[in-house]
Coordinates of all heavy atoms in Angstrom, one line a residue:
M1 N 0.8 -1.2 0.0 CA 0.0 0.0 0.0 C 0.9 1.3 0.0 O 0.6 2.2 -0.7 CB -0.9 0.0 1.2 CG -1.8 1.3 1.3 SD -2.6 1.5 2.8 CE -4.0 0.4 2.6
I2 N 2.0 1.3 0.7 CA 2.8 2.5 0.9 C 3.4 2.8 -0.5 O 3.5 3.9 -1.0 CB 3.8 2.3 1.9 CG1 3.2 2.3 3.3 CG2 4.9 3.4 1.9 CD1 4.1 1.9 4.5
A3 N 3.9 1.7 -1.2 CA 4.5 1.9 -2.5 C 3.4 2.5 -3.4 O 3.8 3.3 -4.3 CB 5.0 0.6 -3.0
D4 N 2.2 2.0 -3.4 CA 1.2 2.4 -4.3 C 0.8 3.9 -4.0 O 0.6 4.7 -4.9 CB -0.1 1.6 -4.1 CG 0.1 0.1 -4.5 OD1 1.0 -0.1 -5.4 OD2 -0.5 -0.8 -3.9
V5 N 0.7 4.2 -2.8 CA 0.4 5.7 -2.4 C 1.4 6.6 -2.8 O 1.2 7.7 -3.3 CB 0.0 5.7 -0.9 CG1 -0.1 7.1 -0.4 CG2 -1.3 4.9 -0.6
L6 N 2.7 6.3 -2.5 CA 3.8 7.1 -2.8 C 4.2 7.1 -4.2 O 4.9 8.0 -4.7 CB 5.0 6.8 -2.0 CG 4.8 6.9 -0.4 CD1 6.1 6.4 0.3 CD2 4.5 8.4 0.0
R7 N 3.8 6.0 -4.9 CA 4.1 5.8 -6.4 C 5.6 5.7 -6.5 O 6.2 6.2 -7.4 CB 3.5 7.0 -7.2 CG 2.1 7.0 -7.2 CD 1.5 8.1 -8.0 NE 0.1 8.3 -7.8 CZ -0.7 9.0 -8.6 NH1 -0.2 9.6 -9.6 NH2 -2.0 9.0 -8.3
L8 N 6.2 5.0 -5.5 CA 7.7 4.8 -5.5 C 7.9 3.4 -5.0 O 7.2 2.8 -4.2 CB 8.4 5.8 -4.5 CG 8.4 7.3 -4.8 CD1 8.8 8.1 -3.6 CD2 9.2 7.5 -6.1
P9 N 9.1 2.8 -5.4 CA 9.4 1.5 -4.9 C 9.8 1.6 -3.4 O 10.3 2.7 -3.0 CB 10.6 1.1 -5.7 CG 10.7 2.0 -6.8 CD 9.9 3.2 -6.5
V10 N 9.4 0.6 -2.6 CA 9.7 0.6 -1.2 C 10.5 -0.6 -0.8 O 10.1 -1.7 -1.2 CB 8.4 0.7 -0.4 CG1 8.7 0.4 1.1 CG2 7.6 1.9 -0.7
K11 N 11.7 -0.4 -0.2 CA 12.5 -1.6 0.3 C 12.0 -1.9 1.7 O 11.9 -1.1 2.6 CB 13.9 -1.1 0.4 CG 14.5 -0.9 -1.0 CD 16.0 -0.6 -1.0 CE 16.4 -0.3 -2.4 NZ 17.9 0.2 -2.4
V12 N 11.7 -3.2 1.8 CA 11.2 -3.8 3.1 C 12.3 -4.4 3.9 O 13.1 -5.1 3.3 CB 10.1 -4.9 2.8 CG1 9.6 -5.4 4.1 CG2 9.0 -4.3 2.0
A13 N 12.4 -3.9 5.1 CA 13.6 -4.4 5.9 C 13.4 -5.8 6.3 O 12.3 -6.3 6.6 CB 13.7 -3.5 7.1
A14 N 14.5 -6.6 6.4 CA 14.4 -8.0 6.9 C 14.2 -8.1 8.4 O 13.6 -9.1 8.8 CB 15.8 -8.6 6.5
Q15 N 14.5 -7.0 9.1 CA 14.4 -7.0 10.6 C 12.9 -7.0 10.9 O 12.1 -6.2 10.3 CB 15.1 -5.9 11.3 CG 16.6 -5.9 11.1 CD 17.1 -5.4 9.8 OE1 16.4 -5.0 8.9 NE2 18.5 -5.3 9.7
A16 N 12.5 -7.6 12.0 CA 11.1 -7.6 12.4 C 10.9 -6.4 13.3 O 9.7 -5.8 13.2 CB 10.8 -8.9 13.3
E17 N 11.7 -6.0 14.2 CA 11.5 -4.8 15.1 C 12.1 -3.6 14.6 O 13.1 -3.1 15.0 CB 12.1 -5.2 16.5 CG 11.4 -6.3 17.1 CD 10.0 -6.0 17.5 OE1 9.6 -4.9 17.7 OE2 9.2 -7.0 17.6
T18 N 11.5 -3.0 13.5 CA 12.1 -1.8 12.8 C 12.0 -0.6 13.7 O 12.9 0.3 13.5 CB 11.4 -1.6 11.4 OG1 10.0 -1.5 11.7 CG2 11.7 -2.7 10.5
G19 N 11.1 -0.5 14.6 CA 11.0 0.6 15.5 C 12.2 0.7 16.4 O 12.8 1.7 16.6
A20 N 12.5 -0.5 17.0 CA 13.6 -0.6 17.9 C 14.9 -0.4 17.1 O 15.9 0.3 17.6 CB 13.7 -2.0 18.5
L21 N 15.0 -0.9 15.9 CA 16.2 -0.6 15.1 C 16.3 0.9 14.8 O 17.5 1.4 14.9 CB 16.1 -1.4 13.7 CG 17.2 -1.2 12.8 CD1 18.5 -1.6 13.4 CD2 16.9 -2.0 11.4
G22 N 15.3 1.6 14.5 CA 15.3 3.0 14.3 C 15.9 3.7 15.5 O 16.7 4.7 15.4
A23 N 15.4 3.4 16.7 CA 15.9 3.9 17.9 C 17.3 3.7 18.1 O 18.1 4.5 18.5 CB 15.0 3.4 19.1
A24 N 17.7 2.5 17.8 CA 19.2 2.1 17.9 C 20.0 2.9 16.9 O 21.1 3.3 17.3 CB 19.4 0.6 17.7
M25 N 19.5 3.1 15.8 CA 20.2 3.9 14.8 C 20.4 5.3 15.2 O 21.5 6.0 15.1 CB 19.5 3.8 13.4 CG 19.7 2.5 12.7 SD 18.8 2.2 11.1 CE 18.0 3.8 10.7
A26 N 19.3 6.0 15.8 CA 19.3 7.3 16.3 C 20.4 7.4 17.4 O 21.1 8.4 17.6 CB 18.0 7.7 16.8
A27 N 20.3 6.4 18.3 CA 21.3 6.4 19.4 C 22.7 6.3 19.0 O 23.6 7.0 19.5 CB 21.0 5.2 20.4
A28 N 22.9 5.5 17.9 CA 24.3 5.3 17.3 C 24.8 6.7 16.8 O 25.9 7.0 16.9 CB 24.3 4.2 16.3
V29 N 23.9 7.4 16.1 CA 24.2 8.7 15.5 C 24.5 9.6 16.7 O 25.5 10.3 16.7 CB 23.2 9.2 14.6 CG1 23.4 10.7 14.2 CG2 23.0 8.3 13.4
G30 N 23.7 9.7 17.7 CA 23.8 10.5 18.9 C 25.1 10.3 19.6 O 25.7 11.2 20.1
A31 N 25.5 9.0 19.7 CA 26.8 8.6 20.4 C 28.0 8.8 19.5 O 29.1 8.6 19.9 CB 26.7 7.2 20.8
G32 N 27.8 9.3 18.3 CA 28.9 9.6 17.4 C 29.4 8.3 16.6 O 30.4 8.4 15.9
R33 N 28.8 7.2 16.7 CA 29.2 6.0 16.0 C 29.0 6.2 14.5 O 29.8 5.7 13.7 CB 28.3 4.8 16.5 CG 28.6 3.5 15.7 CD 29.9 2.9 16.0 NE 30.0 1.5 15.4 CZ 30.5 1.3 14.2 NH1 30.9 2.3 13.5 NH2 30.6 0.1 13.8
F34 N 28.0 6.9 14.1 CA 27.7 7.2 12.6 C 27.5 8.7 12.5 O 27.0 9.3 13.4 CB 26.5 6.5 12.1 CG 26.7 5.0 12.1 CD1 26.0 4.2 13.1 CD2 27.5 4.3 11.2 CE1 26.2 2.8 13.1 CE2 27.6 2.9 11.2 CZ 26.9 2.2 12.2
A35 N 27.8 9.3 11.4 CA 27.7 10.8 11.2 C 26.3 11.1 10.9 O 25.9 12.3 11.0 CB 28.6 11.2 10.0
S36 N 25.4 10.2 10.4 CA 24.1 10.6 10.0 C 23.2 9.2 10.1 O 23.7 8.2 10.1 CB 24.1 11.1 8.6 OG 24.4 10.0 7.6
L37 N 21.8 9.6 10.0 CA 21.0 8.4 10.0 C 21.1 7.6 8.6 O 21.0 6.4 8.7 CB 19.6 8.9 10.1 CG 19.1 9.3 11.6 CD1 17.7 9.9 11.5 CD2 19.3 8.1 12.5
D38 N 21.5 8.3 7.6 CA 21.7 7.6 6.3 C 22.8 6.6 6.5 O 22.8 5.5 6.0 CB 21.9 8.6 5.1 CG 20.6 9.3 4.7 OD1 19.6 8.7 5.0 OD2 20.8 10.4 4.1
E39 N 23.9 7.1 7.1 CA 25.1 6.2 7.3 C 24.7 5.0 8.2 O 25.1 3.9 7.9 CB 26.2 7.0 7.8 CG 27.5 6.3 8.0 CD 28.6 7.2 8.5 OE1 28.8 8.3 8.2 OE2 29.4 6.6 9.4
A40 N 24.0 5.3 9.2 CA 23.6 4.3 10.2 C 22.7 3.2 9.5 O 22.9 2.0 9.7 CB 22.9 4.9 11.4
A41 N 21.7 3.7 8.7 CA 20.9 2.8 8.0 C 21.7 1.9 7.0 O 21.4 0.7 6.8 CB 19.8 3.6 7.2
A42 N 22.6 2.5 6.3 CA 23.5 1.7 5.3 C 24.2 0.6 6.0 O 24.3 -0.4 5.5 CB 24.4 2.7 4.6
A43 N 24.6 0.8 7.3 CA 25.3 -0.2 8.0 C 24.5 -1.1 8.8 O 24.8 -2.3 8.9 CB 26.3 0.5 9.0
M44 N 23.2 -0.7 9.2 CA 22.5 -1.5 10.1 C 21.2 -2.2 9.5 O 20.6 -3.1 10.1 CB 22.1 -0.7 11.3 CG 23.3 -0.2 12.1 SD 22.9 1.1 13.4 CE 22.1 0.0 14.6
V45 N 20.8 -1.7 8.4 CA 19.5 -2.2 7.8 C 19.8 -3.2 6.6 O 20.6 -2.9 5.8 CB 18.6 -1.1 7.3 CG1 17.4 -1.6 6.6 CG2 18.2 -0.1 8.4
A46 N 19.1 -4.3 6.7 CA 19.3 -5.3 5.6 C 17.9 -5.4 4.9 O 17.0 -6.1 5.3 CB 19.7 -6.6 6.2
P47 N 17.8 -4.8 3.7 CA 16.6 -4.9 2.9 C 16.4 -6.4 2.5 O 17.2 -7.0 2.0 CB 16.6 -4.0 1.8 CG 18.0 -3.4 1.8 CD 18.7 -3.9 3.0
S48 N 15.1 -6.9 2.6 CA 14.9 -8.2 2.2 C 14.3 -8.3 0.8 O 14.4 -9.3 0.1 CB 14.0 -9.0 3.2 OG 12.7 -8.4 3.2
R49 N 13.4 -7.3 0.5 CA 12.8 -7.3 -0.8 C 12.4 -5.8 -1.1 O 12.4 -5.0 -0.3 CB 11.6 -8.2 -0.8 CG 10.5 -7.9 0.2 CD 9.4 -8.9 0.2 NE 8.5 -8.6 1.3 CZ 7.3 -8.0 1.2 NH1 7.0 -7.6 -0.1 NH2 6.5 -7.8 2.1
E50 N 12.0 -5.6 -2.4 CA 11.5 -4.3 -2.8 C 10.0 -4.5 -3.4 O 9.8 -5.4 -4.1 CB 12.4 -3.7 -3.9 CG 12.0 -2.4 -4.3 CD 13.0 -1.8 -5.3 OE1 13.9 -1.1 -4.8 OE2 12.8 -2.0 -6.6
V51 N 9.2 -3.6 -2.9 CA 7.8 -3.6 -3.4 C 7.6 -2.6 -4.4 O 7.9 -1.4 -4.1 CB 6.8 -3.4 -2.2 CG1 5.4 -3.4 -2.7 CG2 7.0 -4.5 -1.1
V52 N 7.2 -2.9 -5.6 CA 7.0 -1.8 -6.7 C 5.5 -1.4 -6.7 O 4.6 -2.2 -6.4 CB 7.5 -2.4 -8.0 CG1 9.0 -2.7 -8.1 CG2 6.7 -3.6 -8.4
P53 N 5.3 -0.1 -6.9 CA 3.9 0.4 -6.9 C 3.1 -0.2 -8.1 O 3.7 -0.5 -9.2 CB 4.1 1.9 -7.1 CG 5.4 2.1 -7.6 CD 6.3 0.9 -7.2
D54 N 1.8 -0.3 -7.9 CA 0.9 -0.8 -8.9 C 0.2 0.5 -9.4 O -0.5 1.1 -8.6 CB -0.1 -1.7 -8.3 CG -1.1 -2.2 -9.3 OD1 -1.4 -1.5 -10.3 OD2 -1.7 -3.3 -9.1
P55 N 0.4 0.9 -10.7 CA -0.1 2.2 -11.1 C -1.6 2.3 -11.0 O -2.2 3.3 -10.8 CB 0.3 2.2 -12.6 CG 1.4 1.3 -12.7 CD 1.3 0.2 -11.7
C56 N -2.3 1.1 -11.1 CA -3.8 1.1 -11.0 C -4.2 1.5 -9.6 O -5.2 2.2 -9.3 CB -4.4 -0.2 -11.4 SG -4.1 -0.6 -13.1
L57 N -3.5 1.0 -8.6 CA -3.8 1.2 -7.2 C -3.5 2.6 -6.8 O -4.1 3.2 -5.9 CB -3.2 0.2 -6.3 CG -3.8 -1.2 -6.4 CD1 -3.0 -2.2 -5.5 CD2 -5.3 -1.2 -6.0
A58 N -2.5 3.2 -7.4 CA -2.1 4.6 -7.1 C -3.3 5.5 -7.3 O -3.6 6.3 -6.4 CB -0.9 5.1 -7.9
G59 N -4.0 5.4 -8.4 CA -5.2 6.2 -8.6 C -6.4 5.9 -7.7 O -7.0 6.8 -7.2
F60 N -6.5 4.6 -7.3 CA -7.5 4.2 -6.4 C -7.3 4.9 -5.0 O -8.2 5.5 -4.5 CB -7.4 2.7 -6.2 CG -8.2 2.1 -5.1 CD1 -9.5 1.8 -5.3 CD2 -7.6 1.8 -3.9 CE1 -10.3 1.1 -4.3 CE2 -8.4 1.3 -2.8 CZ -9.7 0.9 -3.0
Y61 N -6.1 4.9 -4.5 CA -5.8 5.5 -3.2 C -5.9 7.0 -3.3 O -6.3 7.7 -2.4 CB -4.4 5.1 -2.7 CG -4.4 3.7 -2.2 CD1 -3.5 2.7 -2.8 CD2 -5.3 3.2 -1.3 CE1 -3.5 1.4 -2.4 CE2 -5.3 1.9 -0.8 CZ -4.4 1.0 -1.4 OH -4.4 -0.3 -1.0
Q62 N -5.5 7.6 -4.5 CA -5.5 9.1 -4.6 C -7.0 9.5 -4.6 O -7.3 10.6 -3.9 CB -4.9 9.5 -5.9 CG -4.9 11.0 -6.1 CD -4.0 11.7 -5.1 OE1 -3.0 11.2 -4.6 NE2 -4.5 12.8 -4.7
R63 N -7.9 8.9 -5.2 CA -9.3 9.2 -5.1 C -9.9 9.2 -3.7 O -10.6 10.0 -3.3 CB -10.1 8.3 -6.1 CG -9.9 8.7 -7.6 CD -10.8 7.9 -8.5 NE -10.8 6.5 -8.4 CZ -9.9 5.7 -8.9 NH1 -8.9 6.2 -9.7 NH2 -10.0 4.3 -8.7
R64 N -9.5 8.1 -3.0 CA -10.0 8.0 -1.6 C -9.4 9.0 -0.7 O -10.1 9.5 0.2 CB -9.7 6.6 -1.2 CG -10.9 5.6 -1.5 CD -10.4 4.4 -2.0 NE -11.6 3.6 -2.6 CZ -12.0 3.8 -3.9 NH1 -11.4 4.6 -4.7 NH2 -13.0 3.1 -4.3
F65 N -8.1 9.4 -1.0 CA -7.5 10.4 -0.2 C -8.2 11.8 -0.4 O -8.4 12.5 0.6 CB -6.0 10.5 -0.5 CG -5.3 11.6 0.3 CD1 -5.3 11.5 1.7 CD2 -4.7 12.6 -0.3 CE1 -4.6 12.5 2.5 CE2 -4.0 13.6 0.4 CZ -4.0 13.5 1.9
A66 N -8.5 12.1 -1.6 CA -9.3 13.3 -2.0 C -10.6 13.4 -1.2 O -11.0 14.4 -0.7 CB -9.4 13.4 -3.4
L67 N -11.3 12.2 -1.2 CA -12.6 12.1 -0.5 C -12.4 12.3 1.0 O -13.1 13.0 1.7 CB -13.2 10.8 -0.8 CG -14.6 10.6 0.0 CD1 -15.6 11.6 -0.4 CD2 -15.1 9.1 -0.4
W68 N -11.4 11.7 1.6 CA -11.1 11.9 3.0 C -10.8 13.3 3.4 O -11.2 13.8 4.4 CB -9.9 11.0 3.4 CG -9.5 11.0 4.8 CD1 -10.0 10.4 5.8 CD2 -8.4 11.8 5.3 NE1 -9.3 10.7 7.0 CE2 -8.3 11.6 6.7 CE3 -7.4 12.6 4.7 CZ2 -7.4 12.1 7.5 CZ3 -6.5 13.2 5.6 CH2 -6.5 13.0 6.9
Q69 N -10.0 14.0 2.5 CA -9.7 15.4 2.7 C -11.0 16.2 2.7 O -11.2 17.1 3.5 CB -8.8 15.9 1.7 CG -7.3 15.4 1.9 CD -6.4 16.0 0.8 OE1 -6.7 15.9 -0.3 NE2 -5.3 16.6 1.3
A70 N -11.9 15.9 1.7 CA -13.2 16.7 1.7 C -14.0 16.5 2.9 O -14.6 17.4 3.4 CB -13.9 16.3 0.4
V71 N -14.1 15.2 3.4 CA -14.9 14.9 4.6 C -14.3 15.7 5.8 O -15.0 16.3 6.5 CB -14.9 13.4 4.8 CG1 -15.5 13.1 6.2 CG2 -15.7 12.7 3.7
G72 N -13.0 15.7 5.9 CA -12.3 16.4 7.0 C -12.6 17.9 6.9 O -12.9 18.5 8.0
K73 N -12.6 18.4 5.8 CA -12.8 19.9 5.6 C -14.3 20.2 6.0 O -14.5 21.1 6.6 CB -12.5 20.3 4.2 CG -12.6 21.8 4.0 CD -12.1 22.1 2.5 CE -12.2 23.6 2.3 NZ -11.9 24.0 0.9
S74 N -15.2 19.3 5.6 CA -16.6 19.5 5.8 C -16.9 19.4 7.4 O -17.8 20.0 7.8 CB -17.5 18.6 5.0 OG -17.4 17.3 5.6
L75 N -16.1 18.7 8.1 CA -16.3 18.5 9.5 C -15.7 19.6 10.4 O -16.0 19.7 11.6 CB -15.8 17.1 10.0 CG -16.6 16.0 9.5 CD1 -15.9 14.6 9.9 CD2 -18.0 15.9 10.0
A76 N -14.8 20.4 9.7 CA -14.1 21.4 10.6 C -15.0 22.3 11.4 O -14.7 22.5 12.6 CB -13.2 22.2 9.6
P77 N -16.1 22.8 10.9 CA -16.9 23.7 11.7 C -17.5 22.9 12.9 O -17.7 23.4 14.0 CB -18.0 24.2 10.8 CG -17.6 23.8 9.4 CD -16.6 22.8 9.6
H78 N -17.8 21.7 12.7 CA -18.4 20.8 13.8 C -17.4 20.6 14.9 O -17.7 20.6 16.1 CB -19.0 19.5 13.2 CG -20.0 19.8 12.1 ND1 -21.2 20.3 12.4 CD2 -19.9 19.6 10.8 CE1 -21.8 20.4 11.2 NE2 -21.1 19.9 10.3
W79 N -16.1 20.3 14.5 CA -15.1 20.1 15.5 C -14.9 21.4 16.3 O -14.7 21.3 17.5 CB -13.8 19.7 14.9 CG -13.8 18.3 14.4 CD1 -13.7 17.9 13.1 CD2 -14.1 17.1 15.1 NE1 -13.8 16.5 13.0 CE2 -14.1 16.0 14.2 CE3 -14.4 16.8 16.4 CZ2 -14.3 14.7 14.6 CZ3 -14.6 15.5 16.8 CH2 -14.6 14.4 15.9
A80 N -14.9 22.5 15.6 CA -14.8 23.8 16.3 C -15.9 24.0 17.3 O -15.8 24.5 18.4 CB -14.7 25.0 15.3
A81 N -17.2 23.7 16.9 CA -18.3 23.9 17.8 C -18.3 23.0 19.0 O -18.5 23.4 20.1 CB -19.6 23.6 17.0
L82 N -17.7 21.7 18.8 CA -17.6 20.9 19.9 C -16.5 21.4 20.8 O -16.7 21.3 22.1 CB -17.2 19.4 19.4 CG -18.4 18.7 18.8 CD1 -17.9 17.4 18.1 CD2 -19.4 18.3 19.8
R83 N -15.5 21.9 20.3 CA -14.4 22.4 21.1 C -15.0 23.7 22.0 O -14.7 23.8 23.2 CB -13.2 22.9 20.2 CG -12.1 23.5 21.1 CD -11.0 24.2 20.2 NE -11.7 25.4 19.6 CZ -11.7 25.6 18.3 NH1 -11.1 24.8 17.4 NH2 -12.3 26.7 17.8
D84 N -15.7 24.5 21.3 CA -16.3 25.7 22.0 C -17.2 25.3 23.1 O -17.3 25.9 24.1 CB -17.0 26.6 21.0 CG -16.0 27.2 20.0 OD1 -14.7 27.2 20.4 OD2 -16.5 27.7 19.0
L85 N -18.0 24.1 22.9 CA -18.9 23.7 24.0 C -18.1 23.3 25.2 O -18.6 23.5 26.3 CB -19.6 22.4 23.5 CG -20.8 22.6 22.6 CD1 -21.3 21.3 22.1 CD2 -21.9 23.5 23.2
G86 N -16.9 22.8 25.0 CA -16.1 22.4 26.2 C -15.5 23.6 27.0 O -15.2 23.4 28.1
Q87 N -15.4 24.7 26.3 CA -14.9 25.9 27.0 C -16.0 26.8 27.6 O -15.7 27.8 28.2 CB -14.2 26.8 26.0 CG -13.0 26.0 25.4 CD -12.3 26.8 24.2 OE1 -12.7 27.9 23.9 NE2 -11.2 26.3 23.7
A88 N -17.2 26.4 27.5 CA -18.4 27.2 28.0 C -18.5 26.9 29.5 O -18.2 26.0 30.1 CB -19.6 26.9 27.3

């Protein structure tokens, strides 16, 4: 889905705990082990496969995102009214 939405290939990491790996990479950069997150990622991440976008699905998600934005915009006055109720 991410590849389809971004319309870009996505490399999937072989590691299962990518959140913990990201934290470890940030710590390694902070400790001076690596100069940047890009350098830490090059040394610590092992991509297992690449997912390529499906051009048909990109349009599918784009249309739904446009609808989601329109719904959000239409609800804005209602959220403001609910917020104001809480301040009364």
Side-chain angles (χ1 to χ4, degrees):
M1 178 191 280
I2 293 173
D4 297 330
V5 169
L6 297 176
R7 298 179 187 194
L8 294 169
V10 173
K11 292 181 182 175
V12 179
Q15 293 85 355
E17 296 294 334
T18 55
L21 177 60
M25 289 176 2
V29 171
R33 174 72 172 88
F34 298 104
S36 68
L37 286 174
D38 286 338
E39 186 180 316
M44 299 172 73
V45 176
S48 65
R49 62 188 173 94
E50 183 174 272
V51 178
V52 295
D54 180 336
C56 296
L57 288 177
F60 171 85
Y61 289 121
Q62 184 61 37
R63 290 187 302 276
R64 273 134 189 89
F65 180 61
L67 178 60
W68 179 81
Q69 287 180 307
V71 168
K73 187 175 181 180
S74 73
L75 290 174
H78 303 292
W79 290 120
L82 286 170
R83 181 192 64 236
D84 293 345
L85 283 176
Q87 296 175 358

